[in-house]
Amino acid sequence: MRQHILDEPYSQAAIWSRRLAVFAILVAMIGLIVIRSNAVEIAAGIAVFGASILLACIALLLAGAAAVVIWRTGRKGVGHIIWAVLLSAAFLAFPAFLAVKAVQLPLLNDIATDVNDPPQFSASAGVVTARRGAVRSRELPGALAQQSAYADIQPIVMDLEAAEVYELVQSTVKSLGWTVLEAVPASEAKEAVYKTV
């Protein structure tokens, strides 16, 4: 009489951890493609990319759970776990690096290309309220932090008339969806002041 030796079954958590890791990378690629192609709003593309990060984290958690199951029951699936961990860790490495850098950099609302002689901002009630009472860049809380964090910031020099630059800035601000609290045409002032909210 023949005896059949039954193979140990695979851990379902291990299989799904690898599948989720691969799916997370595919979702991230879709998010990057739609962001770069301007197919959707930036916020929607970032939400897709954020979902891919969440999926990669879930894949790591499943891999951990699968490792416990395999250790206790002797089921198969170590290869799936290794792939899940490698793919998820490789994918999460760059966002983790960016998160660490973001925590280290100061939180700034304003950047001046000339911190020694920053622009004179509007003193209208709405703008002063948005700036918490500050009128010049050097009076803003982050002015000194900018010098240490972004020492290489320089102005953009354009070979255009002031009115042309003003129109270019207006169209750029509109395309970015910023809210303009106040804008002074180039014919009336040297600098136009923008505040995003």
Side-chain angles (χ1 to χ4, degrees):
M1 182 195 268
R2 268 198 243 166
Q3 288 185 340
H4 293 286
I5 300 173
L6 297 175
D7 287 336
E8 285 292 337
Y10 278 90
S11 164
Q12 290 299 310
I15 293 170
W16 278 102
S17 67
R18 191 198 63 178
R19 287 177 180 170
L20 267 181
V22 172
F23 185 60
I25 293 171
L26 293 174
V27 170
M29 290 170 62
I30 291 169
L32 292 175
I33 289 169
V34 297
I35 289 172
R36 298 294 291 176
S37 65
N38 293 322
V40 297
E41 295 284 329
I42 293 287
I46 291 175
V48 172
F49 191 77
S52 70
I53 291 174
L54 180 62
L55 288 170
C57 291
I58 293 172
L60 284 176
L61 289 175
L62 271 177
V68 172
V69 168
I70 289 171
W71 179 264
R72 289 184 175 174
T73 64
R75 292 187 175 219
K76 293 182 176 181
V78 173
H80 292 291
I81 292 175
I82 292 171
W83 273 111
V85 170
L86 288 177
L87 290 172
S88 297
F91 170 64
L92 292 172
F94 188 63
F97 169 75
L98 292 180
V100 170
K101 293 297 280 182
V103 169
Q104 292 173 346
L105 291 172
L107 181 62
L108 301 176
N109 293 323
D110 294 286
I111 297 290
T113 54
D114 185 355
V115 290
N116 296 321
D117 186 22
Q120 181 71 37
F121 293 118
S122 171
S124 69
V127 174
V128 171
T129 300
R131 295 184 175 282
R132 288 174 247 132
V135 181
R136 292 178 66 89
S137 287
R138 67 178 59 161
E139 296 172 15
L140 294 170
L144 294 176
Q146 177 195 318
Q147 293 178 353
S148 60
Y150 305 105
D152 58 344
I153 286 185
Q154 297 177 355
I156 298 173
V157 180
M158 305 180 96
D159 189 19
L160 297 170
E161 294 295 325
E164 293 174 307
V165 173
Y166 177 79
E167 292 303 323
L168 181 63
V169 170
Q170 286 281 54
S171 64
T172 302
V173 166
K174 185 177 180 181
S175 70
L176 291 172
W178 291 359
T179 300
V180 178
L181 295 180
E182 186 175 287
V184 180
S187 59
E188 297 177 23
K190 276 176 129 184
E191 294 158 346
V193 179
Y194 294 92
K195 171 72 180 179
T196 62
V197 291

